[in-house]
Amino acid sequence: MSKTTTSADRDATGAKGDRDTTGAQDEVGELGAAGAQLSTAPLDDAAGPVPGPNMPALGVIGWIRWFWRQLTSMRVALLLLLLLSLGSIPGSLIPQENPDALKVEDFKAAHTTLGPLYDKLGLFHVYSSVWFSAIYILLFVSLIGCIVPRTWQFVGQLRGRPPAAPKRLTRLPAYTTWRTEATPDEVHEAARHLLKQRRFRAHETGGSVAAEKGYLREAGNLMFHVALIVMLIAFAAGQLFKSEGGKLIMEGDGFSNTLTQYDDFKSGSLFDTENLAPFSFRLDRFEGTYENSGPERGTARTYKAHVTYSEGAHGPEKKKAIEVNKPLEVDGSKVYLIGHGYAPTVTVRDGKGKVVQRVSVPLLPIDSMGTATGAIKILDGYRNKDGKKEQLGFNAFFVPTFAGEGNGQMFSQFPAPFNPRLALSAYHGSLGVDSGVPQNVYQLDTRKMKKFKDAKGELLKKRLKIGETLKLPNGAGSITFDKELKQWASFQISQEPGSKWALGGAIAAIAGLAGSLFISRRRVWVRATAGADGVTVVEMAGLGRSESAKVPEELGVLAAALHETAPSAPDADTDPDTGSDTDTAAESTEAGAEAEAGADADSKTPSDPDPTPDVVPAEGAEK
């Protein structure tokens, strides 16, 4: 029959003397190689010796080694990763010079105390600051210093074999034993075959079968850290070699991917503008439909830019509908749809009725309903009533759906052009475009301009329906809101060379982390020895990297499977818990029949024709 007990039970029945009193350290020492190298983590000796009055100083080399051990420890790598995450927060909350220098200047003007302080700390250019770069580089070095030695150690473990069983399997967290009539060689052969079927790496050594499983745990751990390095490299390459620009295009107009075509453009420090992908596209039309009623009234239902594009200088034309989060991809570049608006068409005439200019002017939306503002600038071709050249400027305010007179302020009620209105205020003089100072095309600089005045002496302004005209005073001309109302779309053209590597690294990091968390590294040993009475004693034990209920459960399944090949012997004359004969008194001829019967009653349990061994966690697991 079989019987499984804990280490505490064995101590109570006489094995207490076998246990050292020094505790867990002696217990680990007894396991030897069997309990070692279940992980590639190095021993935690990074703190090193502390110089004292009776200990010599570490010296320069000693301190360098100490610093290197600290830097390449996993806890420092995690700390640096945390610092990198915390350092990214200001880059998200505070305006950055690289994307938008104007917002930085506005922030400094509005915060006269915080502005200079943030500037000294490099918070307006976080990702290129010295302190952020230092954290980034130290994290990179720390991860490499962690991975390289652990990788070589893991490769050595893969090339090696599971270690032999320790002397006393009873010290392991999961343990079971029984007696069988099969020979030790038959038990070992059956155990090795069974363990290999269960995908264990098994071999026979030192009079026992040693098996190990769960190498993917360490492989996942290493893959996670390698993936972090790949992500760091990808992000660095993306920042150094990226390019990003914006372009506003009206229906019927086109774009060629050259530097001069961009409205705004920024790139990494190592990007070469000659590396811009050669392609072009034309905005054929913009398609937008919106929810007409309900709480989501005005929400876009269809939001597409239909374009015709071609790769290279003479590539064939192809058609594509660009949607939000569905960019056009051409030769490594992505064209994103990021905005939409209207471009009212106006006709400007001079005092003699001659058409000076007919132009469609894009206006920038200021809300989700299409309310937009901008400026109409007439630079050339206009002469005043005295025949002198002048420039005209109009502040413009547009709504695609006007609520009507007396229904509140002039704001749009719906983003579709159901009842468009164009409000204008007029100026004349010099727009200042010849001064060499760059201007915002959507704002009117009136410092060198004069107002057109109405009959009351106020600034001349008027709301126009489609087809209506604003006449300028004293025969200065007119401006007409034409029937043609064009739409425009704004695009972002990006080249991000490290994006695919970063995505691959993120996926690999998640997969590696899942493997390191859910896969258990464990070992199983099977030892079969012939007893004094010729019956084989089978011992099975399991050890995991960390205490887990799965180790005893798995050992129980394996023991049950092996028990079918090597079933329990009909009778057991020795107690495997203590290793001593329980029938010594019964076998003594001097004790007689009564003593034998009494010993049998105290030490044996009722006979079981085919008992299956049960696995009970040993003392190590109970702790």
Side-chain angles (χ1 to χ4, degrees), residues 12 34 130 155 161 172 209-210 214 241 248 338 383 449 451 453 586 591-593 598 615:
V130 174
V155 170
R161 289 189 174 188
L172 298 181
V209 175
F241 295 97
L248 186 148
I338 60 174
R383 293 179 180 272
M449 304 195 76
K451 301 177 181 178
K453 297 182 180 180
V615 178

Side-chain angles (χ1 to χ4, degrees), residues 27 29-30 61 132 137 150 169 237 274 283 339 341 377-378 419 510 516 568-569 572 585 595 621:
E27 194 168 307
E30 289 175 356
I61 302 299
F132 190 86
I137 295 173
R150 292 175 69 123
L169 292 177
E274 295 182 358
L283 176 61
K377 301 179 182 181
I378 308 300
N419 186 22
I510 294 174
S516 64
S568 297

Side-chain angles (χ1 to χ4, degrees), residues 347-367:
T347 300
V348 178
R349 295 178 173 84
D350 59 14
K352 298 180 180 180
K354 178 183 176 182
V355 176
V356 175
Q357 194 170 353
R358 186 174 187 271
V359 60
S360 297
V361 182
L363 304 178
L364 295 181
I366 60 174
D367 61 24

Side-chain angles (χ1 to χ4, degrees), residues 462-477:
K462 185 178 180 180
R463 294 176 181 172
L464 302 178
K465 299 179 182 179
I466 289 180
E468 289 186 342
T469 299
L470 170 63
K471 292 186 177 182
L472 303 178
N474 303 322

Side-chain angles (χ1 to χ4, degrees), residues 386-425:
D386 299 327
K388 295 182 179 179
K389 291 183 178 181
E390 271 192 327
Q391 294 176 331
L392 299 180
F394 301 90
N395 280 322
F397 193 88
F398 173 79
V399 291
T401 301
F402 182 50
E405 299 292 343
N407 292 324
Q409 297 180 347
M410 186 178 171
F411 282 92
S412 180
Q413 305 297 311
F414 198 75
F418 292 150
N419 186 22
R421 289 288 190 278
L422 180 63
L424 299 174
S425 57

Side-chain angles (χ1 to χ4, degrees), residues 577-605:
D577 295 343
T578 62
S580 61
D581 289 339
T582 58
D583 296 320
T584 301
E587 293 175 355
S588 175
T589 57
E590 298 177 356
E594 294 180 359
E596 181 180 358
D600 289 342
D602 294 337
S603 62
K604 293 184 179 180
T605 57

Side-chain angles (χ1 to χ4, degrees), residues 473-487:
N474 303 322
S478 64
I479 179 171
T480 303
F481 182 17
D482 293 343
K483 294 182 179 180
E484 184 180 12
L485 180 62
K486 289 187 175 183
Q487 299 185 78

